[in-house]
Amino acid sequence: MGLIATIALITLGISFMILVTFFGRLPALRRTPIAWLHKLIWVYLPNGVYALDERLTGGRATNSCSRFANYMMYDRHPTILIFFILLLTISESLYLPTAWPLLSPTHKFLGTIAIVCPYIFLYLSVTTDPGTITPQNHVSEMARYPYDFSLYHPGSTCRTCNLLKPARSKHCSVCKKCIAKMDHHCIFINSCVGANNQHYFVLLLVTTAILTLYGGILGLDILSTKILRRWPNWALLPWNANDGQGMDVKRWLMIWAWGMQEAVSLGAVTLLALLTSPLVWGLLGYHIWLIYSGTTTNESMKWSDWQAEMDDGYAFKRRIDGGRRKKNLRIEPAWTRWPVEAEQILVRTESGRPPGRELDETGTEGGLVGEGEWEPVWRLRDVENLYDIGFWDNLVDVFWPGYMYRDPVSLEPRGRGRGRKGRRR
């Protein structure tokens, strides 16, 4: 019992800290206990320690710890990548010597695929350029997506790279470069997830999720078989033991402890796989939802900020005639591969009044495109997401980053992506 409890507590603790640390700031978790714990661990407690250290050492200790933490969390280094690789390799080296001789040929074949695939997609995620924007490829990157006049407006320049920012791009402060269709910087691959490697990252999540679940279930089956040879009346669930009559939980756990001690390495890795699998599947589910919504991690945070503006009554929109609007070719591409153009402009005002009224007072247009009256916006569902063209076409955009949705001569949609959905985030 002590062995099981120790392994379970350590595994749960590590998994929970990873969840809170890396996903506590996600908009989907913003109003949950996980977000509160993230603030407690990374904001409130450090502030309290810093205040105490200011009195004791003048802040020298916390400054040193802060520099180390910033390096670990916000600088580019392979520490977490190496940890991830070691976690996979050590777990498999502990698991396979006991499990492999007991596997059927089918499970050996499937197991080999499940083990190898995460390494392949990890390698591809790490080594593939995520979509670095340079002066040499800037023109083609500008033509990747049109500006939606909601999250991305033409004319914005990266102050570090001194280049016009293409739509959906973002400068990564860790990699020190602008990335096309920036999703997020992932410390597990020591690189950004962007337009050119997002598909490899998603496949890494898929294969890792399958590996943890498959390995956990397989290990559970092997351990159950060992236990049943000694205690035929035992069952995987205590209420199914003794031919459905049930078994005392204490005795059931003691039998489990015996099974774990008979194969400590196999049992420990099985428990690790079963406890971490929900975390990996949850992250995979989140990224599938992002693809379904036609957005990225970076954009989901931007939309969350827009929702706050809408709640305060500071957001307004009006119509854009994408077919007749004359583009400013100094700051916009003349053509993009995307099958649709922006049909609205979304802005915020400081006063909470429509932009038109503010402009009348100054006598200027302010450079805002569009036509018609400004309408207040209260919900994200009332705003179009230009980059959401249907789940299957969103998948094409992820797994075929250079797919041409329309011909550059005719400017008419071709093949996939002919329509637009009405669904919003």
Side-chain angles (χ1 to χ4, degrees), residues 7 11 91 95 99 212-223 256 260 263-277:
I7 296 174
T11 305
S91 297
Y95 183 97
T212 55
L213 184 61
Y214 183 61
I217 293 175
L218 203 59
L220 201 63
D221 181 66
I222 294 172
L223 290 172
W256 251 125
M260 294 281 289
V264 176
S265 298
L266 175 66
V269 176
T270 297
L271 195 58
L272 175 67
L274 290 173
L275 291 175
T276 56
S277 186

Side-chain angles (χ1 to χ4, degrees), residues 57-71:
T57 69
R60 289 188 296 273
T62 51
N63 285 337
S64 300
C65 293
S66 178
R67 285 194 298 270
F68 176 75
N70 284 333
Y71 171 75

Side-chain angles (χ1 to χ4, degrees), residues 338 389-398 403 405 415-419:
W338 207 239
I389 53 176
F391 180 60
W392 295 113
D393 289 305
N394 293 345
L395 278 177
V396 170
D397 186 44
V398 170
Y403 182 79
Y405 287 92
R416 306 187 65 86
R418 294 182 180 274

